[in-house]
Amino acid sequence: MDWLFMAGLLGVGLALVLGVGTRIAAVTGSLMLVLMWAAELPLDTNPFMDDHIIYSIVLIGLALANAGATLGPGNLPIVQRNPYLK
């Protein structure tokens, strides 16, 4: 399972860096972060200000701000024609 987890992290990271599939990457990355947060339960610190929750919010914000559409492969015509690649 370790290699599958690392492959998932690689996929989310590449999607965010390249700007292709940022919506899918934001959802799957947030799900992975929330599951990592849940694996630490019970928490010793404030459960609502954990870094996993903050990073999940940042990922959703990147998707809502249409990050990746300015520079890089996110500007390619095939990405612009297919909404699931945005």
Side-chain angles (χ1 to χ4, degrees):
M1 289 312 268
D2 288 337
W3 65 270
L4 188 60
F5 175 72
M6 295 306 281
L9 287 177
L10 178 67
V12 170
L14 281 176
L16 291 173
V17 167
L18 294 176
V20 178
T22 54
R23 294 176 189 170
I24 296 170
V27 171
T28 56
S30 294
L31 178 65
M32 290 174 71
L33 284 165
V34 168
L35 289 174
M36 285 188 276
W37 172 80
E40 294 180 6
L41 292 175
L43 297 174
D44 295 331
T45 59
N46 188 349
F48 299 108
M49 288 302 292
D50 189 61
D51 58 341
H52 297 100
I53 303 299
I54 301 299
Y55 292 151
S56 295
I57 294 169
V58 169
L59 281 177
I60 298 299
L62 286 172
L64 291 176
N66 201 15
T70 306
L71 294 172
N75 284 331
L76 294 174
I78 190 167
V79 175
Q80 298 299 327
R81 283 192 305 254
N82 299 315
Y84 61 88
L85 289 177
K86 289 184 180 181

